[in-house]
Amino acid sequence: MPGRTLGKTCAKGVNSPTRPSSQHLRRRIRYHYRGNAYGSTLRLSLGCLLGLELRRVGSDMRLTFAQMGEATLTEWMHEHAQVCWIKHPEP
């Protein structure tokens, strides 16, 4: 994907206006880098764009890129992804 930019915008607590997220931004970013595709839409999107094979794992059949695919994605993110944020008074 040379010369292209992929962006992700999020606001804390947008999933439930009555119950804001209990996770702070640093924890959420850390999970995107260390977690798996099942718990991170960012990892899921990037892995699919990179052509990684999505597999069902575990008894509840979660979708992830399995151990090798998740490791490949983590390595790719460390080499190519950058994170930045700004605080907006009215998100």
Side-chain angles (χ1 to χ4, degrees):
M1 301 181 342
R4 298 184 186 215
T5 301
L6 176 67
K8 177 177 172 68
T9 304
C10 62
K12 181 178 169 81
V14 296
N15 293 336
S16 173
T18 59
R19 195 183 83 213
S21 174
S22 63
Q23 295 185 13
H24 52 74
L25 184 59
R26 182 177 177 159
R27 182 179 296 162
R28 291 171 52 121
I29 290 171
R30 187 181 315 135
Y31 188 82
H32 286 306
Y33 272 82
R34 297 180 184 168
N36 61 44
Y38 176 73
S40 168
T41 55
L42 175 64
R43 290 184 71 86
L44 179 63
S45 299
L46 286 175
C48 288
L49 288 171
L50 292 170
L52 298 175
E53 182 182 355
L54 201 55
R55 306 182 87 184
R56 292 193 182 275
V57 298
S59 59
D60 57 354
M61 303 300 281
R62 298 176 309 232
L63 289 171
T64 74
F65 297 112
Q67 190 172 3
M68 289 300 296
E70 294 291 350
T72 299
L73 179 55
T74 297
E75 183 179 323
W76 185 91
M77 289 175 69
H78 283 292
E79 291 178 20
H80 302 284
Q82 295 180 345
V83 176
C84 65
W85 62 83
I86 60 169
K87 184 176 180 179
H88 192 281
E90 296 180 30

